[in-house]
Amino acid sequence: MQKIAIVGAGRVGESTAQFLARRDIAREIALLDVREGAAAGAALDIQETAPLLRFDTRLTGSHEASVIAGAELVIITAGLPRKPGMSRSDVLDKNVEILDVILQDILVHAPQSRILVVSNPVDVLTYRAWQKTGWSRDRIFGQAGVLDTSRMAAFIALETGLSTHDIQALVLGGHGDAMVPMLRYSSINGVPLDHFMDQATLDNIVERTRHGGAEILALKQTSSAYGAPAAAIAEMVEAIALDRRRVLPTVALLDGEYGERDVAMGVPCILGQGGMERAIELELNAEERAAFDQSIAGVRKDLERLA
C-alpha cells in the first residue's frame, strides 16, 4: 500500500501505527487527531525508531483532516473510551457523533479508501459507517474477532502450557459479553480442546474471553487495552495490504449469511486486496445458533438507537 491513515492518535491508534510501521507494509502512515500536536508528536516518536527497528515507512501526523488525503485504507480508532464498569454500548451515542464527523472527512479527503472500524461499539459503528457512506460492504468492515480470538487462544495456552503457535481458535458474534467463542471450531494443532481440558475449564475460558477487555480495564483502571487490539488491527491490515486472502473473523455487513441482513456482525471472512472479499457461513448447531441469535439481538437493540 502507498498510504494508510489512522484516525485517533490515542493509545490504540499510536500502537497500531507502531505495529504497522514495523511490518513495513505501507510507504506512508498518516495519523489524524483533533488534539493539536498529538498526532504529529506520535508520528515523530515512531519515526525516530525506524533506524533501530529497521523500517522505511514514513509517518506524518496532524489535527487537519487533509492529512488523510489519498489514503487507501482508513483505520478509525477515535472515540470515547470505556471506564471501569461501562459496557461498550454505554459509549454508543457519543461515539456515533464522533464517527459521523470522521466519515465526512473521509468522504472529502479519501473517497476511494476502505474503512476499518475499531472504535466501540464496533458492530454498531461499522453498520453506521456503511449506512452513512452508502459504500459497498467490501469497503467497510470492523475489527473485533481477531482480538477476541487472540485472547481465547492466549487463555488456552496459559491453561495448557502449550505453544500458542499450535492453537487455532474462533469467536463469532458481537464484540461484547454476548460474543460466541466457538469451541467446536477450535483446536490445538487439529486436536480437539476437550482432549486437553475438562468442560469446566473450557467454560471458564469462554467466560474469560467474553470479558477479556473488561478484565484489563478493571486491572489498569486508567486505560483500556491497546497492545492486543493494535496487534489484531495489524494482522487484518497486512492481509489486505499484501493480498494474503486470509480467513479472519471480521465485523462484516451480512447479506443473507446466517439468515441475517441489515446488520454488522463478527463472522469469518476472506480479507485480501479487495477488502472484505467474502463472508463465510459456518454450520451452527442448536446451542451455537441460540448464542449467535442472542448476540445478533443485542446488536440490533443498539442499532435502534441510531438516528
Side-chain angles (χ1 to χ4, degrees), residues 205-227:
I205 288 173
V206 166
E207 284 306 302
R208 194 175 182 191
T209 300
R210 285 176 173 151
H211 303 286
E215 181 180 358
I216 291 172
L217 182 59
L219 289 168
K220 297 176 75 171
Q221 290 293 311
T222 59
S223 168
S224 55
Y226 56 89

Side-chain angles (χ1 to χ4, degrees), residues 57-114:
T57 300
R58 296 291 187 264
L59 293 103
T60 56
S62 177
H63 64 283
E64 298 286 349
S66 58
V67 75
I68 71 172
E72 297 157 80
L73 176 68
V74 180
I75 304 166
I76 301 175
T77 68
L80 185 70
R82 284 196 296 165
K83 296 179 180 179
M86 294 176 68
S87 71
R88 293 177 176 90
S89 295
D90 289 337
V91 296
L92 171 60
D93 295 337
K94 181 60 179 177
N95 284 350
V96 166
E97 292 178 17
I98 294 170
L99 178 69
D100 285 352
V101 173
I102 294 169
L103 293 173
Q104 286 301 314
D105 290 336
I106 292 173
L107 288 170
V108 171
H109 297 289
Q112 303 304 314
S113 66
R114 303 188 189 281

